[in-house]
Amino acid sequence: MKDIIKNGGVLLWINAAAAVLALIGMIVLFVSNGTPGYAIMGGGGAIACIIIAFIAILGCAFCCIKFGSQHFITAVLRVASIVLVCVCLGIILSDRVGIAANVLTWDSANTVAWGALTSSIVAVVFMLLSVIVLIVTGFMEGKKPEAELAA
């Protein structure tokens, strides 16, 4: 385990931070989707996308350690995770725009809708932060694996 952390360096921790941000966004998405009467239309697709994206982020972190930051497999996993998180964001935003329009105009006393909207905004913020961190890691040069240094 110690060797994995040594080989990963800072890039491993940044990818782990992206995974944690996506995980927090996923948990808050579960809460928002579970609001009685305000489930996200297409919420199952959003949940599937964020779960697959979380797994892809973990795979990206592993591939950064194994192959390096700029390897083809690492790049494919990074792009796939960014796309999946953005699809999830699109599903959330397309559903919650109507709720935002209602509570910000004529239905401002609806506390359940405010709760659903607020939790959706929190989920979107954490997912966006995860995407930003993943984009930043795409431009970072991680440590080279031991085999490449010896060659």
Side-chain angles (χ1 to χ4, degrees), residues 145-151:
E146 304 287 330
E148 289 182 14
L149 292 176

Side-chain angles (χ1 to χ4, degrees), residues 2 17 28 49 59-60 63 78 80 87 110 130-131 134 147 150:
K2 190 175 180 181
V28 177
C49 284
C60 181
C63 288
R78 186 178 294 118
V87 167
N110 190 345
S130 176
V131 166
L134 284 171

Side-chain angles (χ1 to χ4, degrees), residues 72-92:
F72 175 73
I73 296 172
T74 308
V76 167
L77 285 172
R78 186 178 294 118
V79 169
S81 60
I82 290 171
V83 167
L84 286 168
V85 172
C86 288
V87 167
C88 181
L89 288 172
I91 292 170
I92 294 170

